[in-house]
Amino acid sequence: MSLWTSATIAAATGGVASGDFAISGVAFDSREVGPGDLFVALKGEATDGHRFMAQALAQGASGVLVSEPVAGPHVRVADTAVALDALGAASRARMLGRVIGVTGSVGKTSVKEALFAALDRSAPGCAHRSLKSYNNHVGVPLSLSRMPRAAQFGIFEMGMNHAGELAQLTRLVRPHVAIVTAVALAHGAFFADESAIADAKAEIFEGLEPGGTAIIPYDSPHRDRLIAAARPFASDIVTFGRDKAADVWARESIGQAAGTLIVARLRDAELTFTLSQPGAHWVSNALAILAAVEAVSGDLPAAGLALAEMAGLAGRGRRLPIALPEGEALLIDEAYNANPASMRATLAVLGAEKAKRRIAILGSMRELGPSEAREHAALADPIAAANVDFALLVGSEMAPLAEALEGRTEFAHVADAAAAADQARGLIDVGDAVLVKGSNSVGLARVVNALAGTV
């Protein structure tokens, strides 16, 4: 059964179809177009997707969504970006299942992926999620437009770096359940303070469907602010956290070799399971996930099994071996992104790792605004608490941390990811544990690849 036909695309977007065709997927990056896809030719500041229409068709696209004349199967519209929004809205309108929206300063993608695994475990093939970390004004409608009509569950990640952005996205997604994973200093360059970030994250509640549920971190200093923002839009507000006053909380949390044994108390159930991913931040993630599964009447035991089996995500906790002449070292790949909260959380994971030495390769945290120097310098304490033996600091923003580490921890400071990749392998010995983490724009995936020979 096709995802869309040319007729339904034209009806959704107000466009004109060149003829009959059917598509099985949607893409806006010509490098990702495969057989059966609809290629959406978006016009951006740097390039124009119309330049790649022939390439997309040659790669097997069944049709293209365009605003200019083209030879080949197509639907022509006035504006392809507006049309993609319309296609996403039409997809959401025809889907009769339950939709979950996820936002937060940290943990969005991890929670989205774990929620998908939890719901897919009990209903294989019936859950749909956002593609990759496509969580902005283009990625969200793209992910919506790819959702099968018969999906029972849709999980969509929504991000922002300015006020007002989430309000627009959530009204497109129209979630039945809206989760804020955490509020922390991310994109601080665009907000007056962390409270303003909390307000921007709370915009996700504005799109809740009637009878919807807001899921809020109980342990957050912004809890009451988030609850107040949710009240006008949510019929039910569920809190999660380590405190027993939360609606969903960890009655027990015991670290083991195979993971963390958790006894979670929910409103109407208690669930004992082993969480495969290490760290206190993942305990919090798991509680939010269980709250959402309960809210959509999902299968909680199946969710527990999925959390026990979930592997680390690339750039977000994936664990890889570093092959050395006489054995192996451990690589913890957290290279996708970083802010002060996630840095502290993953340094704590490194500190709990049994290893010969602990090495932290840390890239700059971007978009922190006026607090940039202070927040980088403040990483010295969690580095010391994690008993890091050597820190390789990457990027000019790391200069305050280098100064703060003088006399406390052995370190080196390099300009960029290329220099870090050149130095990294020479630092590592058999039995070491190596954490790689930094803002995505620093490019530390290059270091991960140099160490583990993968991407």
Side-chain angles (χ1 to χ4, degrees), residues 287-304:
L287 296 172
I289 290 158
L290 294 178
V293 171
E294 186 176 52
V296 297
S297 301
D299 187 323
L300 285 168

Side-chain angles (χ1 to χ4, degrees), residues 114-270:
L115 258 173
F116 170 78
L119 294 168
D120 184 68
R121 180 68 185 248
S122 59
C126 295
H128 172 78
R129 69 196 186 284
S130 298
L131 187 68
K132 299 182 180 179
S133 290
Y134 284 1
N135 60 25
N136 64 6
H137 65 286
V138 176
V140 169
L142 175 76
S143 297
L144 279 166
S145 70
R146 295 167 61 96
M147 180 168 57
R149 179 195 298 266
Q152 294 178 20
F153 302 105
I155 308 106
F156 298 95
E157 175 183 345
M158 288 174 269
M160 62 87 202
N161 55 21
H162 291 86
E165 291 177 341
L166 265 177
Q168 178 182 354
L169 296 177
T170 190
R171 288 188 173 96
L172 190 61
V173 172
R174 292 168 39 214
H176 298 93
V177 177
I179 303 171
V180 176
T181 60
V183 176
L185 190 65
H187 310 299
F190 308 115
F191 295 93
D193 54 29
E194 203 170 272
S195 293
I197 296 172
D199 291 340
K201 295 298 182 186
E203 290 173 13
I204 193 173
F205 305 131
E206 296 177 17
L208 276 169
E209 288 286 270
T213 300
I215 297 179
I216 289 169
Y218 184 89
D219 303 321
S220 171
H222 308 287
R223 176 193 66 221
D224 293 342
R225 195 178 193 97
L226 293 170
I227 289 173
R231 279 197 181 113
F233 307 101
S235 294
D236 191 20
I237 296 175
V238 180
T239 59
F240 67 92
R242 304 299 291 268
D243 193 299
K244 65 181 181 180
D247 296 310
V248 178
W249 62 289
R251 189 164 64 78
E252 288 188 60
S253 177
I254 304 168
Q256 299 178 327
T260 304
L261 177 67
I262 297 174
V263 180
R265 188 77 185 97
L266 291 90
R267 280 180 167 176
D268 299 318
E270 186 169 281

Side-chain angles (χ1 to χ4, degrees), residues 47-98:
T47 190
D48 182 349
H50 291 82
R51 293 170 46 202
F52 305 99
M53 291 185 297
Q55 175 188 334
L57 291 167
Q59 289 172 200
S62 292
V64 292
L65 185 64
V66 296
S67 59
E68 298 176 2
V70 58
H74 66 272
V75 174
R76 188 173 177 184
V77 296
D79 184 312
T80 51
V82 172
L84 179 58
D85 265 7
L87 193 63
S91 179
R92 174 64 185 88
R94 71 182 187 177
M95 187 266 202
L96 301 179
R98 307 291 285 177

Side-chain angles (χ1 to χ4, degrees), residues 5 36 45 56 90 112 120 129 137 150-151 161 194 205 226 276 297 344 346 359 414 426 448:
T5 65
E45 294 180 4
K112 179 257 298 182
D120 184 68
R129 69 196 186 284
H137 65 286
N161 55 21
E194 203 170 272
F205 305 131
L226 293 170
S276 63
S297 301
R344 290 192 295 270
T346 49
I359 297 171
V414 297
V448 172

